[in-house]
Amino acid sequence: MLATGSAVTGSTTILGLESSCDDTAAAVLRRDGQGGTRILSSVVRGQADLHAPFGGVVPEIAARAHAELLDHCVEEALDAAGVGLRDLDALAVTAGPGLIGGVVSGVMCAKGLSVATGLPLYGINHLAGHALTPRLTDDVAYPYLMLLVSGGHCQFLIVRGPAEFERIGGTIDDAPGEAFDKVARLLALPQPGGPSVEEAASAGDPERFALPRPLLNRPGFDLSFSGLKTAVLRTRDTIIAEHAGLPQALRADLCAGFQAAVVDVLAEKTRRAMTHLMAETNAPPALCVAGGVAANRAIRAGLETVSDSFGARFVAPPLALCTDNAAMIAFAALEQMGTRDPDDLSLAARPRWPLDLASPAMLGSGKKGAKA
Ligand code: KG4
Ligand code: ZN
């Protein structure tokens, strides 16, 4: 191995790579001898422009773009951090779950770097990256509740340690971001659907249309968004039939009604999950949220109301660390280093990789890849 930072200062400097969906990312983090961690750089190159003409992420295009962009992202991240490869102590890479072509690109790039430098390589579960981020941003203590809500994922995790995750529930069909994107498409609003539906909803009446709250009356923590999307489709068709078009005001009402239903479902299931976790903790555990959908103000407000009712801390990392990035992958490796060995060159890219192997596999695959 090359001479490293740790030998000199007791710190650990790590380069992380992420390429499991439509963002190519690299980041450099440094953990000091006292355990504090700093992000020295975090580079994220989105591919939205490449996929826009197709109305969704095209796996082959994503894989090719990752293969082209990874080297540039690594160089940029090292430059921005002011370090070279010889200043690093370790490498981390997303090894799944995700779109397999992209994950393979990242794993191959990381293996190449590991062979060239002799640095230890840690294959990281993308979901572990999201789930551990509140410890990077807010030093949250274990155990805590994590609600992961993005375009590809939706699950409740009890995070008990760097590699100890219990999935107590999740979506049985669409992820919430997927539902926002589909509703936007149904209502001829621009993609990504989340922000455009949220904006339209701000001018609407959430009570004008009665939309379902799927699975609300079923015990447990599972969620469903597919029926809600179908209800939006039916309501839209009724409006069009009655008005010979979709008046803007009614479209706003429909967006507001849809968003309110998502908020109600997420809030109620989160309330139950918090109650479940409270049964084993003395103090209220933190309620943490990650994923692109966590940007939604109504959803944040709904979840904050829940955490307030438990006297719990609400942690929503800044958006750049809530959505896909490589800092979370490097951080997860720093967290896990003391508890596991690095991987060797047999590290494989995995399209599916549930965090909690004891929980039953979740059905289906989101538009942006496998959900769990
Ligand atoms: O975490 P993310 O950036 O990417 C992955 O899914 O991996 O999440 C993107 C998703 C998209 O479906 C987008 O529509 C949704 O997050 N989103 C939102 C909002 N901003 C982004 N959903 C609801 N409200 C928003 N403001
Ligand atoms: Zn993600």
Side-chain angles (χ1 to χ4, degrees):
M1 194 189 295
L2 297 168
T4 62
S6 61
V8 182
T9 62
S11 67
T12 306
T13 306
I14 183 165
L15 169 71
L17 304 180
E18 154 64 34
S19 57
S20 65
C21 187
D22 57 350
D23 290 307
T24 316
V28 179
L29 270 62
R30 180 168 291 157
R31 176 163 282 186
D32 62 33
Q34 284 71 49
T37 305
R38 269 192 314 135
I39 300 174
L40 301 186
S41 66
S42 180
V43 174
V44 180
R45 294 263 194 101
Q47 305 174 356
D49 294 354
L50 293 178
H51 301 286
F54 305 96
V57 178
V58 182
E60 290 76 12
I61 294 178
R64 209 171 316 135
H66 285 306
E68 283 168 12
L69 287 170
L70 272 159
D71 286 357
H72 299 289
C73 286
V74 167
E75 261 183 52
E76 232 178 277
L78 291 172
D79 281 355
V83 300
L85 283 175
R86 60 176 54 248
D87 299 310
L88 299 175
D89 299 294
L91 302 164
V93 64
T94 300
L99 298 174
I100 191 62
V103 183
V104 168
S105 301
V107 168
M108 296 303 285
C109 176
K111 281 184 184 175
L113 286 169
S114 178
V115 169
T117 59
L119 290 169
L121 170 63
Y122 292 83
I124 296 295
N125 184 312
H126 176 86
L127 302 173
H130 279 304
L132 294 170
T133 299
R135 288 184 51 79
L136 168 64
T137 56
D138 294 81
D139 207 15
V140 172
Y142 297 118
Y144 56 89
L145 182 70
M146 161 59 66
L147 169 59
L148 189 50
V149 273
S150 71
H153 309 294
C154 179
Q155 44 191 287
F156 285 110
L157 294 165
I158 297 176
V159 186
R160 299 184 192 283
E164 258 185 279
F165 308 96
E166 184 187 350
R167 197 187 70 222
I168 58 172
T171 181
I172 60 167
D173 41 56
D174 291 351
E178 216 174 344
F180 270 94
D181 294 341
K182 285 179 184 168
V183 163
R185 223 164 281 138
L186 291 176
L187 303 180
L189 290 167
Q191 295 292 319
S196 47
V197 170
E198 180 177 9
E199 197 190 327
S202 65
D205 171 7
E207 285 170 14
R208 174 155 195 149
F209 299 108
L211 294 170
R213 269 61 177 158
L215 300 193
L216 203 59
N217 297 321
R218 193 194 286 182
F221 318 106
D222 283 342
L223 306 112
S224 161
F225 296 99
S226 156
L228 179 56
K229 173 198 68 195
T230 310
V232 170
L233 168 65
R234 281 208 212 95
T235 310
R236 177 204 70 174
D237 289 347
T238 309
I239 298 171
I240 291 175
E242 284 173 4
H243 297 265
L246 185 59
Q248 208 168 330
L250 295 182
R251 182 165 75 174
D253 293 341
L254 195 45
C255 286
F258 163 77
Q259 184 174 270
V262 174
V263 172
D264 283 355
V265 170
L266 287 175
E268 173 55 24
K269 298 285 169 158
T270 303
R271 193 170 295 120
R272 287 185 208 169
M274 283 295 279
T275 305
H276 173 80
L277 181 52
M278 285 278 277
E280 66 172 75
T281 54
N282 294 326
L287 167 58
C288 306
V289 63
V293 180
N296 186 287
R297 278 159 295 179
I299 292 173
R300 273 182 191 240
L303 295 175
E304 242 178 312
T305 305
V306 174
S307 66
D308 285 352
S309 72
F310 286 92
R313 190 171 165 201
F314 179 69
V315 175
L319 201 57
L321 293 172
C322 252
T323 54
D324 288 350
N325 66 88
M328 68 179 189
I329 302 303
F331 180 74
L334 288 171
E335 285 282 280
Q336 292 181 359
M337 249 172 212
T339 67
R340 55 167 277 199
D341 290 329
D343 287 289
D344 59 28
L345 292 181
S346 66
L347 173 68
R350 303 169 64 169
R352 283 182 175 266
W353 185 0
L355 266 184
D356 177 1
L357 295 170
S359 291
M362 296 178 75
L363 293 173
S365 186
K367 189 170 181 55
K368 292 185 159 190
K371 286 177 185 128

